[in-house]
Amino acid sequence: MNKSRVVIGFLGTQLDQPAKRGDRWSGWRPSVAVCQQPDLIIDRFELLCDRRHEKLAESVVADIRSISPETEVRLHWNQLRDPWDFEEVYALLHQFTRDYSFNSDNEEYLAHITTGTHVAQICLFLLTESRHLPAALLQTSPPNRSGKDPRGVYSVIDLDLSRYDQLASRFQAEHQEGLSFLKSGIETRNKAFNQLIERIEQVSLATRAPILLSGPTGAGKSQLAQRIFALKRHRQQVAGPLVEVNCATIRGEQAMSTLFGHVKGAFTGAAAARAGLLKSADQGMLFLDEIGELGADEQAMLLRAIEEKTFLAVGSDEATSSDFQLIAGTNRDLHQEVGKGNFREDLLARINLWSFALPGLTQRRDDIDPNIEFELQKFTTTHGRKVTFNKEARKKFIEFAHNPSTLWKANFRDLNAAITRMATLSPGGRITTDMVDEEISRLRASWRGSEKPDSHAATLRTVLNENQIAQLDRFDQAALAEVIKVCSQSPSLSAAGRELFQVSRQSKHKANDADRLRKYLAKFGIQWSDIP
């Protein structure tokens, strides 16, 4: 059973007008031409008309009936105040789709997008795409200059078929370009990180609300903020500059003046007025790194600036306005800082609408390999000299980088510094195993210098070397470190055993604590005499 074909479209107040001179059939009129197509039989035409064009509508109906008697024309009257008002036109069409009795089992629908204002055409497309209007798109065009047939040509576009899929693939390609841009072109492998970047890209392009980036030092918060700005600038979503400041570098009166500016004579030394960073970021983006370092007064002023887009410069009674998007960075847990009374709860609520926690390098070890390649390429671009690892050196450095005992305390800054140092010193552009050994020793020494004296690593280092520690699971490191600590504080092996096995020894008929402890230490190649 063939379905009836129904066209839904607007009366063309200009295009559907008959020719002012000569034969009324000599000119192309889209609503009429739809029903003149020999291979497109129209059973019903739902024509949306403005009451102000009633005479034209009746003329079009008469002409359709004369050339296509089988076509039923139904007029749907409306009176738009402004046919170019998107909200009004969309509301009209949306209500039409709600009131209309669609019968998709027996009828197929075509949304004619050639007539009506551009706003009407866009609204028809959107309602068709969202399936509020269960139709394909019908596009008609006049004949070319050499053509004499006033029927012109037409095309039917089904948004569910491949033609629209190709259009959608272009958007997907643009989306992938945005993701790659935010990742600096690095083909990251960590699934959780890739999902995080995808959400950041989606949010960044959809809103101007504040964004909070948290994570350890060196996780890439500053670089990501710069990339977000560049992406929005590329998409023409911001017109002003990116203004960056590390809040840990500004304190006291300097912080207020740096952020909010001051008027001439506001304080001793204020010989000239200063705009301040918030004003400089007008129409652009403000990146406040380490926002948790701001004082209470600056936090209060910042909250007002975010909510009202105005603030008072130091020494001024007149409000300064600035419309900027805020990106904040922090390596602190701001919720804990609120509990300690160090950070305003209302400010956190305002900047925490979109919050993203960037993982450190130890949580993204599967991304170490592509980041090494990125650092080598960056070195080549900066220094004009190509550097590579030899096979054995690369294998050794990768094993070290992936080892769970490798701390990467400064995260990607450590990795960047390591690659830069080895590349700079590489003879003939080749990084050797000796250079890798030297760099590994350098990194471990720097981490050792910053660790707490009572840390697991520091305790284990009193009886084991770095390679031995690197072979231990984190569980064994923690357990063995506690055992070494107790042993170093005990006068004998037996005393240390009694302290370590004080619960389990109660259930044994003969508790040989010293023997149990001796065997445990031997698993790691340690003797009692080795413990200081």
Side-chain angles (χ1 to χ4, degrees):
M1 173 179 154
N2 293 329
K3 293 184 178 182
S4 299
R5 186 176 288 122
V6 180
V7 172
I8 300 171
F10 281 88
L11 175 70
T13 57
Q14 298 295 326
L15 294 177
D16 281 335
Q17 291 281 357
K20 294 183 179 180
R21 297 180 181 178
D23 185 2
R24 67 187 292 106
W25 301 101
S26 61
W28 176 72
R29 293 186 292 159
S31 295
V32 177
V34 165
C35 301
Q36 289 180 288
Q37 304 297 327
D39 57 346
L40 186 69
I41 306 302
I42 306 301
D43 296 287
R44 191 167 70 252
F45 202 134
E46 308 286 1
L47 195 60
L48 284 70
C49 313
D50 193 306
R51 280 287 183 187
R52 290 169 290 192
H53 302 283
E54 187 172 348
K55 185 175 180 180
L56 174 61
E58 292 174 351
S59 172
V60 169
V61 171
D63 289 342
I64 290 176
R65 285 173 179 165
S66 68
I67 53 97
S68 181
E70 69 276 13
T71 302
E72 176 191 0
V73 182
R74 294 180 181 176
L75 299 179
H76 298 267
W77 298 106
N78 63 76
Q79 190 161 351
L80 291 168
R81 291 189 302 274
D82 182 1
W84 292 93
D85 184 278
F86 192 96
E87 184 176 1
E88 184 182 5
V89 175
Y90 188 88
L92 169 74
L93 286 172
H94 185 263
Q95 191 61 46
F96 173 83
T97 62
R98 289 172 61 91
D99 296 339
Y100 192 89
S101 297
F102 292 103
N103 182 7
S104 298
D105 291 335
N106 300 309
E107 295 178 340
E108 61 174 310
Y109 302 95
L110 300 174
H112 191 205
I113 59 170
T114 303
T115 53
T117 63
H118 293 324
V119 170
Q121 295 166 13
I122 292 170
C123 291
L124 271 175
F125 173 86
L126 292 175
L127 288 166
T128 302
E129 182 188 40
S130 65
R131 306 310 294 169
H132 286 82
L133 184 57
L137 301 177
L138 173 63
Q139 186 173 21
T140 55
S141 306
N144 56 38
R145 292 182 178 181
S146 60
K148 297 181 180 180
D149 190 345
R151 294 176 298 186
V153 295
Y154 77 92
S155 60
V156 175
I157 305 166
D158 191 337
L159 297 184
D160 291 330
L161 299 181
S162 59
R163 184 178 300 184
Y164 182 65
D165 289 342
Q166 293 174 8
L167 180 63
S169 68
R170 296 178 186 175
F171 288 105
Q172 180 62 22
E174 188 177 53
H175 169 61
Q176 291 301 325
E177 289 175 4
L179 296 180
S180 178
F181 185 82
L182 289 180
K183 296 188 292 184
S184 301
I186 304 172
E187 292 300 320
T188 53
R189 303 168 184 172
N190 185 275
K191 182 178 179 182
F193 180 74
N194 286 338
Q195 290 175 342
L196 176 69
I197 292 297
E198 184 166 358
R199 181 53 55 86
I200 291 174
E201 188 252 5
Q202 180 185 5
V203 169
S204 298
L205 295 177
T207 181
R208 295 187 74 245
I211 294 174
L212 177 61
L213 303 177
S214 61
T217 299
K221 298 185 291 294
S222 298
Q223 290 85 347
L224 182 56
Q226 294 165 5
R227 288 274 162 175
I228 291 173
F229 170 76
L231 181 62
K232 290 175 76 73
R233 189 68 177 265
H234 178 68
R235 301 287 177 86
Q236 299 182 350
Q237 292 189 359
V238 290
L242 170 65
V243 177
E244 303 178 69
V245 62
N246 188 322
C247 298
T249 64
I250 52 176
R251 299 284 183 178
E253 289 185 359
Q254 181 195 7
M256 294 292 285
S257 175
T258 300
L259 293 174
F260 307 105
H262 63 252
V263 298
K264 181 179 178 180
F267 50 84
T268 303
R274 180 179 184 179
L277 297 180
L278 269 68
K279 183 59 179 177
S280 299
D282 191 21
Q283 302 303 314
M285 184 174 288
L286 177 66
F287 176 52
L288 295 181
D289 198 12
E290 303 307 342
I291 193 173
E293 300 288 343
L294 284 180
D297 293 339
E298 290 80 29
Q299 292 178 34
M301 289 274 282
L302 178 62
L303 178 61
R304 177 186 174 184
I306 296 171
E307 292 183 335
E308 301 178 14
K309 306 298 182 186
T310 61
F311 54 90
L312 293 176
V314 178
S316 175
D317 294 328
E318 295 184 6
T320 300
S321 63
S322 181
D323 186 7
F324 58 86
Q325 180 178 2
L326 175 69
I327 296 185
T330 182
N331 62 6
R332 298 186 179 188
D333 185 331
L334 293 184
H335 291 283
Q336 289 186 3
E337 294 301 306
V338 168
K340 296 175 183 178
N342 296 330
F343 201 80
R344 291 181 64 105
E345 186 173 12
D346 49 2
L347 178 57
L348 177 58
R350 191 66 185 83
I351 67 175
N352 198 41
L353 175 62
W354 297 108
S355 178
F356 302 100
L358 302 188
L361 185 55
T362 56
Q363 297 171 277
R364 292 176 53 197
R365 293 187 191 271
D366 43 354
D367 282 340
I368 288 175
D369 299 55
N371 272 279
I372 289 175
E373 291 303 315
F374 172 75
E375 295 296 344
L376 288 173
Q377 291 173 10
K378 188 167 70 171
F379 183 88
T380 298
T381 301
T382 304
H383 296 84
R385 183 164 66 90
K386 184 173 178 61
V387 176
T388 59
F389 283 86
N390 68 35
K391 184 177 180 180
E392 294 76 15
R394 184 181 181 87
K395 181 174 183 291
K396 190 165 193 175
F397 188 75
I398 291 293
E399 288 177 350
F400 163 75
H402 281 262
N403 193 298
S405 67
T406 300
L407 303 179
W408 294 121
K409 285 192 174 182
N411 295 290
F412 290 93
R413 291 178 184 172
D414 273 342
L415 183 62
N416 167 266
I419 299 299
T420 299
R421 282 191 291 263
M422 289 188 291
T424 301
L425 299 174
S426 61
R430 297 283 282 179
I431 298 173
T432 65
T433 52
D434 289 342
M435 298 174 64
V436 169
D437 288 337
E438 181 182 347
E439 183 57 36
I440 290 174
S441 296
R442 183 196 300 269
L443 287 169
R444 284 175 171 165
S446 68
W447 297 333
R448 205 162 44 238
S450 62
E451 68 188 13
K452 296 179 180 179
D454 60 347
S455 68
H456 295 327
T459 301
L460 293 175
R461 208 170 280 115
T462 61
V463 292
L464 299 175
N465 60 41
E466 296 289 353
N467 289 329
Q468 290 172 317
I469 296 173
Q471 301 303 314
L472 299 179
D473 289 332
R474 290 181 63 182
F475 175 84
D476 287 330
Q477 289 186 26
L480 181 58
E482 179 64 19
V483 170
I484 298 300
K485 190 181 299 183
V486 171
C487 289
S488 65
Q489 297 171 353
S490 300
S492 67
L493 188 65
S494 297
R498 285 194 297 274
E499 176 69 22
L500 290 166
F501 306 122
Q502 57 180 294
V503 175
S504 61
R505 71 191 305 272
Q506 303 297 326
S507 62
K508 293 184 178 296
H509 177 69
K510 184 178 180 181
N512 194 340
D513 303 318
D515 186 56
R516 290 178 67 188
L517 179 56
R518 186 182 297 106
K519 289 178 179 178
Y520 177 82
L521 293 172
K523 285 172 50 180
F524 304 99
I526 302 172
Q527 298 180 6
W528 173 258
S529 59
D530 296 330
I531 301 173

